[in-house]
Amino acid sequence: MTTLASRLIARLEQFSPLTLPERIALEDAAVTVRRFAPREELARQGAPVPAVLAIYDGFACRYRTLPDGRRQIVGFLMPGDISDPRMFLFDCMDHSVATLGPVEAALLERESVQRLENYPGLTRAMAGSAVVQDAIGREWLMNVGHRSSFERISHLFCEIYARLQAVGLVREHGCDVPLTQADIADAMAITPVHVNRTLMELRRTGLLTFHSKRLVIHDLQALAHAAGFDASYLRLRAKDPSANAPGRAALLAGASPDTDLR
Amino acid sequence: MTTLASRLIARLEQFSPLTLPERIALEDAAVTVRRFAPREELARQGAPVPAVLAIYDGFACRYRTLPDGRRQIVGFLMPGDISDPRMFLFDCMDHSVATLGPVEAALLERESVQRLENYPGLTRAMAGSAVVQDAIGREWLMNVGHRSSFERISHLFCEIYARLQAVGLVREHGCDVPLTQADIADAMAITPVHVNRTLMELRRTGLLTFHSKRLVIHDLQALAHAAGFDASYLRLRAKDPSANAPGRAALLAGASPDTDLR
DNA sequence: CGGCAACTTGACAATGCTCAACGCGGGTGG
DNA sequence: CCACCCGCGTTGAGCATTGTCAAGTTGCCG
């Protein structure tokens, strides 16, 4: 059975190996798993930085809003993700954070994080995680700036699929993606109605289906090609599918990019 | 007379105060100022991470390119800026870096950076700098996603103006901005021809002029309002006005959240 | 059964793109 | 020294991707 800490450890170890004491410290810090309702605000732009968020299950998002109400989602926090501890360097948030669907997560207080930062491996892993989230932001900028709506949505689903695969949440070419079409719209800067049209076109072309929060990718190769998706920015090591059931610890194997890029 | 180190110190101290030994260490690390030609590539996507860049004068940019040649600039590096040292956590760059106009900068090798990271104040300051660059990226996403070309370009110029003001490079409501219209296009994801049209409209409305690399803002208040610009994401402390041109205090350079959001 | 959120669908409008040409200035080579 | 050329800026005409508005359907949950 997977616990929050084990998922977090597995994810963070993709960035830097952790010593036993480091894993224990992480487990201690992330014991209290809380449940959050959908659309719950966890941090507000301009308000004090509340805590670092470590996601066990579900999606959250960072977003900014314009005075007129338009919302731009600037990143997703997915299972195994941890938000950037360096936010504590400033006294207030420059963006908001909210859950999308229901979420299980741990909140790490400032002191808790500071304790973790005494461990170099953990510091390095969290930094790596943050760098990847930056890279994702850069890719999104590319997406929103230079790709058609069709490419954009394809690309987003490729990314989500790859990230969920990295934490073992993909089965049978499908995964649960608790996003509404409006969420996708806010992330990719497309109108909800146009998201709808584009999703139907994706369905029609047989590349993927996304229905009742379930994403199924029928032709990953073709989808990645259509999207211009190259997973290298995610810095994923290939996930051993059997690693879900404990027993086989031999990860870190090759950086064998089977779901290859370019 | 301003040296690279003094500019760097002044900028970094906006994030965290530095002790004397820290300043000295920084000076030691950044003694060698190199000159770079315009359009010189300093780091290439996919290639090893060469060095951390500390800018003394001129603009550089981070960018990603699509196979078909389209380029998205994902951030500017401006005088006093330093690129993110955490890039060294990975073996290759996820984006490229190039100069725009001529640039004077120091290159800090991996070992040099590691030495600096022994100083907590420097580590904190560099982290703060990186967090702000992330925040800028988020704002750009908002820009490209949800603002009209007119707002976008206005917003970009507000940002550039505020950032240059923070390092004392604004005089008489004007500053040197070594960008071509094509550069602005690549940053804001607009066509060069449309950038041109928009610039002319900005000129016509009397908000600003941008000619031969010189930006003059005629009505900052109005421009910021038109752009929906709120400087708080830049986390600038008000620049001491006496540092260069006496008199006019920093208008929007807001530690004060009076130019509030929402 | 009612209500609300999410999803669909259609007609129309517009912002910004494409393509194409031309002006202008500064640097370089003959 | 002049002429050429290339990068950059400027302008125009037509077009298409995507936004807007509006209405209707589905489906879940109380």
Side-chain angles (χ1 to χ4, degrees), chain A residues 180-182 193 196-197 200 203 211:
Chain A
T180 66
Q181 295 185 358
V193 326
N196 185 288
R197 288 193 246 269
M200 313 207 46
R203 228 172 282 156
H211 241 314

Side-chain angles (χ1 to χ4, degrees), chain A residues 81-148:
Chain A
D81 284 347
I82 185 168
S83 69
D84 192 346
R86 291 179 315 173
M87 231 52 211
F88 280 130
L89 286 171
F90 294 102
D91 50 353
C92 67
M93 298 289 296
D94 71 284
H95 61 274
S96 303
V97 179
T99 60
L100 289 165
V103 162
E104 293 176 37
L107 293 182
L108 311 189
E109 308 298 331
R110 190 186 219 104
E111 306 72 38
S112 187
V113 171
Q114 280 167 349
R115 225 172 300 125
L116 292 184
E117 281 176 338
N118 292 327
Y119 298 91
L122 281 172
T123 303
R124 219 158 342 108
M126 290 191 291
S129 162
V131 170
V132 167
Q133 284 179 48
D134 291 354
I136 292 174
R138 288 188 275 272
E139 192 65 33
W140 281 30
L141 199 52
M142 185 94 240
N143 250 354
V144 171
H146 286 284
R147 289 199 248 251
S148 71

Side-chain angles (χ1 to χ4, degrees), chain B residues 177-211:
Chain B
V177 178
L179 300 177
T180 66
Q181 296 186 356
D183 294 329
I184 297 172
D186 285 344
M188 294 289 100
I190 314 177
T191 308
V193 325
H194 202 64
V195 168
N196 185 287
R197 288 193 243 269
T198 308
L199 280 178
M200 313 208 51
E201 196 182 340
L202 278 162
R203 227 172 282 155
R204 222 178 316 117
T205 56
L207 290 173
L208 63 82
T209 45
F210 178 59
H211 242 316

Side-chain angles (χ1 to χ4, degrees), chain A residues 235 237 255, chain B residues 46-50 87-94 110:
Chain A
R235 316 271 186 178
R237 306 205 198 309
Chain B
V49 181
M87 230 54 209
F88 280 130
L89 286 172
F90 294 102
D91 49 355
C92 67
M93 298 289 295
D94 71 285
R110 189 184 219 106

